[in-house]
Amino acid sequence: MSAASPSSTPSDFDQFYTATAKRLVAAVYAATGDLAEAEDAVQEAYARAWQRWDRLTAEGDPTPWVRTVALRLAVSSWRRARNRMRAHFRHGPPPDLPDLAPDRVALVHALRGLKPEQRTAVVLHHLLDLPIEQVARETGVSPGAVRTRLSRARKALGSHLADPEADAASEAPTPMPASAPHPPVCHPKEVPSHG
């Protein structure tokens, strides 16, 4: 990697990296569903940013540039690896990561079911809280296209993330409460008639 020019300081880049890297890895992981791939793409994006650091900082906030590069690298790598992954699926799904809560695992699984452009829109808008206009600029589409992608993605995610146990509980008839034991009913003894 080439050195930055004298006007850039390593501490500026280090501060930027420290402040943004963890969140960017999380966003790319959410978009790809592969933590190792996300980390690789983010590292490469920061390496490329370091090479252009003066220009990026002169243009303003370098975060959108780094995020766009990382997402594009991850998606490009994902497309190349798609056929290799199909072979791995024959051997069963990969084990869940031990540090992830079940709801996060479910979210990542549901995000994997989306089309890449829908997944990217969801990650940028809902996970990173970017406005639709900025998502449109970073993905190279119109704001209307972003809204359409988000709408379709939310619908697909809703069906993937529905809790079957909660749904079954809400549809099951409400059981009758157990009734309190009744006191015994006293019947007058029938006296046999003699006679």
Side-chain angles (χ1 to χ4, degrees), residues 5-22:
S5 66
S7 62
S8 307
T9 64
S11 65
D12 291 342
F13 182 82
D14 290 345
Q15 289 173 355
F16 170 72
Y17 178 86
T18 301
T20 59
K22 186 175 181 179

Side-chain angles (χ1 to χ4, degrees), residues 8 27-28 33-34 45 49 57 64 72 77 79 103 105 113 120 157 159 164-165 179 182 188 192:
S8 307
V28 176
D34 185 331
T57 55
R72 286 182 181 165
S77 176
R79 287 178 180 152
D103 59 339
V105 172
T120 300
L157 286 173
S159 65
E165 291 177 15
S179 56
H182 294 287

Side-chain angles (χ1 to χ4, degrees), residues 22 29-30 52 68 73 83 101 106 110 128 146 148 169 184 186 189 195:
K22 186 175 181 179
Y29 171 57
R52 299 162 178 79
T68 299
L73 286 168
N83 290 333
L128 296 179
V146 171
T148 300
C186 296
K189 287 187 176 181

Side-chain angles (χ1 to χ4, degrees), residues 51-183:
Q51 294 171 343
R52 299 162 178 79
W53 188 243
D54 283 339
R55 191 185 82 212
L56 290 174
T57 55
E59 293 172 358
D61 182 13
T63 305
W65 187 91
V66 174
R67 183 172 46 241
T68 299
V69 169
L71 285 167
R72 286 182 181 165
L73 286 168
V75 169
S76 174
S77 176
W78 176 80
R79 287 178 180 152
R80 284 192 309 269
R82 184 172 29 197
N83 290 333
R84 283 194 317 257
M85 289 174 59
R86 286 183 181 156
H88 290 290
F89 286 133
R90 283 185 240 135
H91 301 290
D96 292 334
L97 295 175
D99 295 333
L100 294 179
D103 59 339
R104 289 188 184 222
V105 172
L107 177 61
V108 169
H109 180 71
L111 285 170
R112 284 180 184 164
L114 297 177
K115 294 179 181 177
E117 62 274 3
Q118 291 175 346
R119 188 169 47 239
T120 300
V122 167
V123 168
L124 293 175
H125 183 65
H126 291 292
L127 272 65
L128 296 179
D129 297 323
L130 297 181
I132 288 178
E133 291 73 22
Q134 186 170 353
V135 175
R137 281 192 302 273
E138 290 189 23
T139 56
V141 297
S142 70
V146 171
R147 286 184 188 90
T148 300
R149 290 175 180 177
L150 288 171
S151 174
R152 290 178 180 164
R154 282 190 291 260
K155 184 176 180 181
L157 286 173
S159 65
H160 286 301
L161 294 175
D163 184 3
E165 291 177 15
D167 291 344
S170 67
E171 293 173 6
T174 307
M176 295 297 291
S179 56
H182 294 287

